[in-house]
Each structure stands twice: as C-alpha cells, then as structure tokens.
Amino acid sequence: MPKYIAALFILFISLNVQAQTWEVGGSAGMAGYIGDLNVNNPVKPSGGFAGLFVKRNFNRYLAAKLSYSFGQISGADSTSDYQQFRDRNLSFTTPLKELSLVAEFNFMSYIPDAGKNLYTPYIYAGGGITAFAPRAMLNGSQIGLRQLRTEGQASPYAKYTLVLPFGAGIKYNISGKWTLAADLGYRITRTDYLDDVSGNYAPASALPNATAVKLADRSGERNNNYIGTPGTQRGDYRPRDFYMFAGFTISYTFVTQQCYY
C-alpha cells in the first residue's frame, strides 16, 4: 500500500502548482455496503466512518481532494426480511481504510468569505485504494476470514482493492472561511469479498481447518439443519461489492491575496 500512497501524493501535488487556495478539513457519518448480504438497498447504513482531507482549489469551480478515511461495514442474514437469507445465517464485520484522490466540481461559483454565493451543489469522482479485512464472530471471539478461504479458494483474496469513488453533495459557507458540506458517495470496488461471500459452498475437504468449516456454512447453528451442499449457491454471483459513505464535512479554506475573485 505505501507505493500507492506515494503515487497518489505525487499526483496530487503536481496537478497545479499555481493553484492559489488550500483547504483542510474532516468528515464523519454513516457507512453502508451493497453485496451478498445486502443485495437491493443502496442506502442501508451498517456502520460509520471518519476521515481527514486536504484540498487544492484551482478556481471557483474545480478542486482536487486527497483524503484518508476509516470506516466499518457489517451485515447479518439474521436481520433479513427474506427467509432464504435467514436460513443461510452468514454475518460479517469489515473495517475499511481508504486513501483516495478525487476531482470535485462546483455547479456554482464558490469561494468562502469572498464569493457572491454562500452555497453550491457539487459532484466528485476519482480513484483510490482500500484495505479491508472481513471478520465474523464465533463462540464469542472475532475471527479473521481471509486466511480461512471459506469458499475453497486456492489462495486468500487480496488485502487491498482499487476503488472508484463518486458522489454528490451540497456545501455552505457557514462563517468566514469555514464550509459545512453534506454528501453521499459510493465506491465501486474490484473485489467481491468485502463480506467474505461470493460464489458457492465448498466441500469440507477444500477448507484449511475446522474453523473454516464452521464459518463456511452457518445455516444449521439454530436448528442443526445445514443447507450448504457443496457446489450450491452461497453468494449472489455478482462480480463485485460496493460501499457507501454518507455524512458531513467541515473545512477551512486558506484564501491568499492573489486569489481568483
């Protein structure tokens, strides 16, 4: 991951050395995910997130934003409205560590404490990398799932995934050079294992140990009626998971005397 951090930072500082304002701030809110344990609700929260960012404003409309965010998502079949998912009885919790660089576009001319507009809608899109580590509870202990290869994978899936963040929001100049913003953003990932669920049930002989066998098929934990026949469907077969951050940011903009009024 360090090489990706360095690459993003070099790209960020080289975008426009003539830009005349810097902006720093923090963000916090709710996190959610769309995947094998939540297939059809793109705004369902399942955790939270917080982050810090630095932004380079090139003019009244365009900026580049480098941010680091930490979040957590989770899911549990036991809370589903559908009996087939409750019968499957899988669950997970996954911490996320995201480093991203996005381009941000204001729909209205916006300079805090200097422009004529106190607010503007905006959109953003870019790229980044996220570290993830799905876990599940077993007998009161939290167990890491990657190394267990619960679907019989030949090797553990990667610890990191590239992501494509995109979203929209609205920002408001609350006082002086302070800006408060609210936004909703999604991340397209290149993995289907944010929840450790993807394809089919594996035979016990393909799993590395007894813990993997227990966590691969949890359907019988309530009534001893296990449904995870090897080769039958375990996940939803979609090729990737998504996750979502929605919340508020507060930031301070350093406006220089040579700024673009």
Side-chain angles (χ1 to χ4, degrees), residues 196-255:
D196 193 62
V197 183
S198 179
N200 296 327
Y201 287 99
S205 59
L207 302 176
N209 53 46
T211 300
V213 172
K214 292 179 180 179
L215 290 172
D217 180 11
R218 312 195 70 174
S219 57
E221 290 183 359
R222 295 180 175 180
N223 55 17
N224 207 37
N225 180 28
Y226 286 90
I227 63 173
T229 304
T232 62
Q233 184 174 355
R234 186 173 187 258
D236 63 9
Y237 293 153
R238 295 178 183 177
R240 58 181 57 86
D241 295 328
F242 299 72
Y243 66 92
M244 172 266 291
F245 288 159
F248 295 93
T249 68
I250 188 166
S251 62
Y252 183 86
T253 302
F254 298 90
V255 182

Side-chain angles (χ1 to χ4, degrees), residues 57 99 108-109 147 188 209:
N57 295 287
L99 180 71
M108 301 165 60
S109 173
Q147 297 297 328
I188 302 173
N209 53 46

